[in-house]
DNA sequence: TTGAAAGCGCTAACAA
DNA sequence: TTGTTAGCGCTTTCAA
């Protein structure tokens, strides 16, 4: 029933009574081959149970139409929507997408850059805050890289991002308008740009409202649920008082709320919370999370578009800035003891 | 500063004053080369800024030490933990892992099987309920495939899974012990094995307790949050009464709870809920979700181990069954109107 | 321990 | 429209 497995283009050519070039053409550009010839080839392909060896083709072409999407932490649902956008745009452009997990580890970023150098893939879409410092001054020898969501200071690469500072400022302003003045900030890991930009937005809103800034209200974490829990535990145990939280990720917001609740503090009655990202769980959560929505799908699409440009030889370092939106749901309430 | 980019093994050989074979050996099996020669080669590699073309090597070796992990829906956090297990075991065995998204689409499964046939990867770990039916009778011509979590009836492939039927029965029994008799079941998509097995466990528990079974209490969905919402909306609108829900995924459980709450029905006070998977959000959710924990990391590790065996020529179709655990948290309460 | 040489399967330039 | 042919960069016998 099943024919020989490892048949190659030569066997097919022999079977069809044509040259291997014709087989290749019939398969790659059918309209360049006369219909009768095409039919002979297709029949032979079927008869030989032939599956072209994509590896050989990629090798010959010196490209394999594949890009790697490397994310900070594959456990964060935020990246999955991005992936979908990337994959959609990639499919349209004839590319495949593989997803890699950097696990917040700079070395793993370096490993994946090497994979591109070694032609495992044609390009790398980076969604990690980390970048191997030893590569920073080798910008001209880097393989095709596009940055999404994050930025790497001192590296002029095509980038798609949001205005983190403005989005944060807007979110914190929302808290201030509800009467909050003691606002904690669950930041990302410094000194990454993303963390710093959101932190600056937080400070902007504070100073705009004439509210004093306090170091003690800022805690950093790696955007995970666990980090959110830990941050709140630390804050509470150190006795700092606060009535609102602005978290740099929905996961941290969710961890924070869970921790708060575990200690008998209710959200939003006692403490208001705003997250960041609008992951799919934000809306199903109790209370439904007020958060900053990022246009994830579009971010993915744009990043892939930038990659296609780059792969086609465009050497600019364009930066695309996408809009965000504050999605007001149920995790913010008026401050009960304003100006306490 | 930066040297020529696309240097190849020939240049390095010339630079080092040795043959290309020696360069290859120095890089692949350093101990087969005299230390002085090795040093010459390494110096030349550095000088030429040489990065071996992995594509060429893979092509020559006819294998690339890469496996694809194809999941049903990359948006479900359940798969991310699996991925971590797979990647860990893969790293130890010298393999790379790429993750693909089947989007509940049989055609995309076929596409990925083709990728392996075309040598994009050495093997495929399948976590999809779907399998292209036209390939079912070609088991002997299939590339290396391992099934995880799911099963494909009529296909004898190495598999790692849990005892879905027993786990479900145990979960539903927990509901029954709390006094519930009107228990809805949010099932996966029939006729997939996974959905059927969990459904059978549900029926087992019911009949064991002498509770009658009603078709109307069973609704199917694709394991997503949205499916959970829709299922509950349908149930409520058709006027069926129920006091508990056994959902086939945490995401459906979360969607269900969110929908219930939106309609003023509280969990667990009015309705008790049990989920399946124990995703990372289950514990942070309000109420913390009682659910069936799957040993995801281990499942991933075992699946990869099976793949390594298979790639090493082992041709058995071993099935490994892993243990589950009912994690009791806060989403189940005693039935307030038992035997209503 | 090292080198020469064949060739993995395919694409694409060129010729017919 | 089709065929001939030269490699892509590497690994791996086999011989020295």
């Amino acid at each position: 029933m099943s024919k020989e497995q490892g048949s190659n283009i030569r066997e097919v050519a022999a079977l069809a009574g044509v040259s291997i070039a014709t087989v290749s053409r019939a398969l790659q550009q059918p309209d360049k081959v006369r219909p009768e010839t095409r039919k002979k080839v297709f029949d032979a392909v079927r008869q030989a149970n032939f599956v072209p060896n994509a590896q050989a083709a990629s090798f010959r072409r010196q490209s394999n139409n594949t890009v790697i999407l490397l994310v900070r932490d594959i456990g964060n649902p935020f990246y999955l929507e991005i992936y979908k956008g990337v994959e959609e745009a990639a499919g349209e452009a004839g590319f495949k997408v593989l997803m890699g997990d950097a696990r917040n580890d700079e070395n793993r970023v370096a490993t994946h850059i090497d994979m591109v150098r070694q032609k495992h893939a044609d390009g790398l879409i980076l969604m990690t805050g980390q970048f191997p410092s030893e590569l920073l001054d080798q910008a001209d020898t880097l393989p095709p890289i596009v940055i999404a969501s994050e930025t790497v200071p001192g590296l002029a690469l095509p980038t798609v991002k949001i205005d983190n500072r403005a989005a944060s400022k807007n979110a914190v302003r929302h808290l201030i308008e509800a009467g909050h003045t003691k606002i904690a900030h669950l930041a990302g890991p410094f000194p990454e740009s993303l963390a710093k930009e959101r932190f600056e937005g937080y400070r902007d809103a504070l100073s705009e409202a004439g509210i004093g800034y306090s170091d003690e209200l800022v805690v950093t974490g790696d955007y995970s649920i666990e980090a959110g829990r830990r941050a709140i535990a630390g804050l509470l145990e150190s006795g700092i008082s606060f009535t609102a939280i602005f978290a740099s990720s929905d996961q941290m917001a969710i961890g924070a709320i869970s921790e708060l609740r575990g200690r008998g503090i209710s959200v939003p009655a006692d403490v208001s919370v705003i997250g960041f990202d609008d992951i799919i769980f934000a809306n199903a959560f109790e209370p439904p999370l007020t958060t900053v929505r990022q246009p994830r799908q579009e971010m993915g699409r744009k990043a892939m578009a930038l990659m296609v440009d780059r792969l086609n030889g465009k050497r600019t370092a364009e930066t695309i800035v996408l809009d965000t939106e504050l999605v007001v749901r149920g995790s913010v309430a008026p401050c009960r003891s304003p100006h306490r």
Side-chain angles (χ1 to χ4, degrees), chain A residues 23-44:
Chain A
V23 175
S24 179
R25 267 189 296 258
L27 263 23
Q28 306 307 319
Q29 323 160 55
D31 36 292
K32 292 218 180 241
V33 169
R34 199 148 40 98
E36 306 114 72
T37 315
R38 204 186 305 153
K39 181 170 184 322
K40 277 195 292 182
V41 171
F42 286 171
D43 287 347

Side-chain angles (χ1 to χ4, degrees), chain A residues 203-250:
Chain A
R203 295 207 53 170
D204 287 350
L206 253 36
S207 73
E208 179 189 69
I211 301 173
Y213 163 76
S214 160
D215 254 355
E216 299 176 311
L217 283 169
V218 178
V219 190
T220 63
D222 64 3
Y223 301 108
S224 67
I225 293 183
E226 222 11 69
R229 280 192 204 286
R230 270 198 308 270
I232 292 306
L235 238 29
L236 255 23
E237 272 147 30
S238 67
I240 317 290
S241 90
F242 58 92
T243 65
I245 298 168
F246 168 54
S248 275
S249 78
D250 285 348

Side-chain angles (χ1 to χ4, degrees), chain A residues 82-93 95 97 297 301 304:
Chain A
I82 305 247
Y83 171 85
K84 290 182 182 177
V86 171
E87 221 223 11
E88 238 178 65
E92 290 162 15
F95 280 80
V97 185
Q297 194 115 356
R301 294 192 66 95
M304 188 63 211

Side-chain angles (χ1 to χ4, degrees), chain A residues 188-206:
Chain A
F190 294 130
E192 295 180 10
S193 305
L194 185 65
K196 289 206 299 209
E197 288 168 21
R198 292 186 186 168
F199 169 67
E200 281 160 7
Y202 163 78
R203 295 207 53 170
D204 287 350
L206 253 36

Side-chain angles (χ1 to χ4, degrees), chain A residues 99-168:
Chain A
M99 193 156 164
D101 186 7
R103 295 191 201 158
N104 281 302
D105 178 353
E106 182 178 304
N107 291 324
R108 291 181 57 95
V109 176
T111 305
H112 284 83
I113 291 178
D114 271 345
M115 285 181 71
V116 180
R117 281 224 172 95
Q118 296 165 7
K119 312 284 185 193
H120 267 291
D122 296 336
L124 184 63
I125 299 181
L126 261 192
M127 304 196 66
T128 63
Q130 308 91 339
F131 193 88
S133 47
E134 68 274 21
L135 296 180
L136 268 181
D137 54 355
Q138 306 181 19
D140 45 337
T141 71
L142 248 27
I145 296 179
V146 166
I147 313 272
S149 172
E150 315 266 351
T151 40
V152 177
L155 202 58
L157 254 22
T159 301
V160 43
K161 54 171 296 196
I162 56 164
D163 186 341
N164 285 293
R165 186 165 178 169
S168 293

Side-chain angles (χ1 to χ4, degrees), chain A residues 167 170 277-278 291-295 322-328:
Chain A
N170 190 41
D277 295 343
D278 194 24
T291 185
V292 179
R293 173 180 298 159
Q294 302 204 49
L322 263 26
D323 288 335
T324 60
E325 176 193 0
L326 181 68
V327 182
V328 177

